[in-house]
Structure formats: C-alpha cells, structure tokens
Amino acid sequence: MTFLTCQALASPATGATGVSSSFGTFGELAQGALPGRNGDFLITLPVAHWSAATFRYQAGSDEVRVSPAHKSKARHLAQSMLRRSAIGGGGLLDLTSTLPEGKGMASSSADLVATARAVANALGLRLRPSGIENLIRPIEPTDGVMYPGIVSFDHRRVRLRGRLGSLPSLTILGLDEGGSVDTVAFNQLEKPFSVSDRRYYEHVLDSMALAIAGRDLRTVGRLATASAELNQQLCPKRTLTPMREICDDVGALGVVAAHSGTMLGLLLDPDEPSYRSRLADALRACAGLSGSVALYRSLSFE
C-alpha cells in the first residue's frame, strides 16, 4: 500500500524546503479497551500547542540530519519517505515544539505528523492522513493528531476509528504531577480491564460520540472523569481524588487525564456566566496541590 496519493515527476532541487505543523493534545477525553480483539481506543482532545517542522532537501546527501539530535523517530520517518518515494537524497530536519515531552500531550505524535507533512511539501508530494498513519505505524503507537477535530483512534494499530466532530474551545486548568512516562513502554502493558470494564468503555465511546455531536459539555466532562478513574488501574494519578473534589466544588465540567502521561486537567466552559469566578476558585485550589499548574485552550474546528 502506497503512502502517497501521487509521486513527484522529478526530484526536487537541493534546497527545496517544506514547512508544516501539527497540534498536540491534552491527554485524552477517554482511553481504554473495547470488547473483542484489537479493542484499544482513545478519543483525542486537541489543544492550541504545536510541533513545527522545517525540512530542507539535499539531493547530494544520503542521510537526514535532525535538530534537536534526539528526535530520532522523526529522522527515521523522513528517511523512510525519501526511500519509499524513490526520490532519494537526504536533508536537514528542524523541529520546534511547545509540547513538553513525556507528559501525555502527544509531543512525539505531533513531531512525526509535522515531519511527514514538511517532507511531503518539500518533495512536492500529496499526503493524506491515512498515508501518515502508514508511515508512523512501523515506528510507534501514536495519537490521532493527523486528523482535524476530535476523533476516536486505535493508537496501538495506528488506525482511525471514527471522526466525532468538534466542540467549542474549552479552558483546561492543567496540573502536571511531575516526572515523565515512556509512551511506547506504556502501550506494551497488558490491559487489566475486565469484561465489565470493556463493556463500560464501549458505553463511554458511544455516549461520548453522541455528547460531542450534541455539544453536551456536561456529559463530555462526566465521561472524561469516568475514563480518568478507570485509568487508575494502569497509570494512577495521586491527585485525581483532590482534583475531582475541586471539580465538584467549583462546578467544572469534569476531569480529563493524560492516560499515558503525568497530567490531569479541569475542563471549564468559558461561555458560562460564572466562568471567571469558577476559574479563579479552581486556580487557588489547584495551587495547593503538589505539581505545576498551567492554563491550556482546546482547539475548536467548528
């Protein structure tokens, strides 16, 4: 299966440059396992933080050099694209990002998606989201950030499950508990979920799809909180209980988790009349917890 919708008619000139980007996520609205084989899924929560990639093609080279140097997965993807397109050559790949690594904000996924798009732009190739899936699949489990909006995604098999639509932009009051999580290692863990758990996850996925379609923010928040609670079996957060208490106290929509990361967040609707006082109360309460606090904004694609 080809990863391109077309191939360049001729090799690009040395110095041909492509630039692109990809948004990240604040954890996931939900993540778990459904009944049956290949049941892994997540529901994305895009945020206004990005990875950006610039690729400069070099026809006389046979390697891709990347900066920062530790971004080896992005370098591997760029080399794979050059090889599989039959164009050959190499180039310089420069990555910048506002997404912290190892926190559950899809930093690696965003790096790879931005890289794929930048290389395709430099080479004059058209690349679909499904083609990006094909490129990333041999490299690592990944998030669904190659698709605009909120999607359900099989992160282990790197396949789209469904497009769920979009929501209004929400405020996320994020708490980072510290440390980092190796996403690749995390995704190799066996899921401890029971048959009952998997059926409940099926309910969460179906109900979340309906809530997003109906712009039912309270149900979205309630289901996100339920998924964060279930994830305590896999990647426990020590501050989940106090964050839930703060959520109830200030009337936030719910608690969202980085299921394979270190982050928890309170979802708040900036269009609610009491938004400012809710946010101020939540900030004061979260400041008393162990961890660093920051504000994020979810992306709306409406």
Side-chain angles (χ1 to χ4, degrees), residues 166-187:
S166 184
L167 290 172
S169 182
L170 301 174
T171 297
I172 306 166
L173 175 51
L175 177 73
D176 179 9
E177 294 190 337
S180 63
V181 175
D182 184 330
T183 304
V184 174
F186 175 85
N187 278 290

Side-chain angles (χ1 to χ4, degrees), residues 253-267:
L253 299 173
V255 179
V256 63
H259 291 70
S260 59
T262 66
M263 309 284 287
L264 285 173
L266 296 178
L267 293 173

Side-chain angles (χ1 to χ4, degrees), residues 169-173 266-270 275 279 295-298:
S169 182
L170 301 174
T171 297
I172 306 166
L173 175 51
L266 296 178
L267 293 173
L268 296 108
D269 180 4
Y275 164 71
L279 177 59
L295 290 177
Y296 301 87
R297 180 173 60 84
S298 70

Side-chain angles (χ1 to χ4, degrees), residues 125-231:
L125 304 172
R126 190 174 304 160
L127 187 61
R128 292 174 175 168
S130 58
I132 299 177
E133 289 180 346
N134 294 337
L135 286 164
I136 296 178
R137 191 173 296 118
I139 299 174
E140 67 171 7
T142 196
D143 214 311
V145 295
M146 65 287 293
Y147 293 96
I150 300 170
V151 301
S152 59
F153 199 78
D154 185 333
H155 47 289
R156 284 195 173 185
R157 294 197 302 159
V158 192
R159 295 181 190 279
L160 179 71
R161 284 187 173 272
R163 298 175 185 259
L164 303 185
S166 184
L167 290 172
S169 182
L170 301 174
T171 297
I172 306 166
L173 175 51
L175 177 73
D176 179 9
E177 294 190 337
S180 63
V181 175
D182 184 330
T183 304
V184 174
F186 175 85
N187 278 290
Q188 292 173 348
L189 297 174
E190 287 298 320
K191 298 292 193 300
F193 304 128
S194 66
V195 172
S196 176
D197 289 337
R198 289 171 179 265
R199 287 175 179 162
Y200 184 69
Y201 272 125
E202 188 172 39
H203 162 74
V204 168
L205 176 57
D206 292 343
S207 299
M208 188 73 81
L210 291 172
I212 292 169
R215 297 166 61 96
D216 183 352
L217 299 183
R218 286 286 164 186
T219 298
V220 168
R222 176 177 59 80
L223 293 169
T225 304
S227 184
E229 287 280 6
L230 274 173
N231 194 60

Side-chain angles (χ1 to χ4, degrees), residues 6-215:
C6 65
Q7 290 190 332
L9 297 178
S11 296
T14 289
T17 300
V19 179
S20 195
S21 64
S22 171
F23 58 81
T25 68
F26 189 96
E28 300 81 21
L29 286 173
Q31 181 173 318
L34 304 170
R37 296 182 60 189
N38 300 319
D40 293 282
F41 81 99
L42 59 77
I43 300 174
T44 57
L45 178 57
V47 290
H49 283 260
W50 288 267
S51 288
T54 300
F55 180 73
R56 296 176 180 83
Y57 178 69
Q58 295 179 325
S61 176
D62 60 357
E63 67 172 343
V64 172
R65 288 179 289 161
V66 63
S67 176
H70 72 279
K71 302 281 188 177
S72 58
K73 294 174 184 176
R75 177 179 55 78
H76 175 73
L77 185 146
Q79 289 177 328
S80 175
M81 289 184 70
L82 289 165
R83 183 178 67 253
R84 294 171 66 177
S85 66
I87 291 174
L92 303 175
L93 174 64
D94 183 69
L95 290 163
T96 59
S97 182
T98 61
L99 293 160
E101 297 179 14
K103 301 296 183 180
M105 296 188 67
S107 62
S108 180
S109 298
D111 282 348
L112 292 174
V113 172
T115 293
R117 290 170 173 167
V119 173
N121 289 342
L123 301 183
L125 304 172
R126 190 174 304 160
L127 187 61
R128 292 174 175 168
S130 58
I132 299 177
E133 289 180 346
N134 294 337
L135 286 164
I136 296 178
R137 191 173 296 118
I139 299 174
E140 67 171 7
T142 196
D143 214 311
V145 295
M146 65 287 293
Y147 293 96
I150 300 170
V151 301
S152 59
F153 199 78
D154 185 333
H155 47 289
R156 284 195 173 185
R157 294 197 302 159
V158 192
R159 295 181 190 279
L160 179 71
R161 284 187 173 272
R163 298 175 185 259
L164 303 185
S166 184
L167 290 172
S169 182
L170 301 174
T171 297
I172 306 166
L173 175 51
L175 177 73
D176 179 9
E177 294 190 337
S180 63
V181 175
D182 184 330
T183 304
V184 174
F186 175 85
N187 278 290
Q188 292 173 348
L189 297 174
E190 287 298 320
K191 298 292 193 300
F193 304 128
S194 66
V195 172
S196 176
D197 289 337
R198 289 171 179 265
R199 287 175 179 162
Y200 184 69
Y201 272 125
E202 188 172 39
H203 162 74
V204 168
L205 176 57
D206 292 343
S207 299
M208 188 73 81
L210 291 172
I212 292 169
R215 297 166 61 96

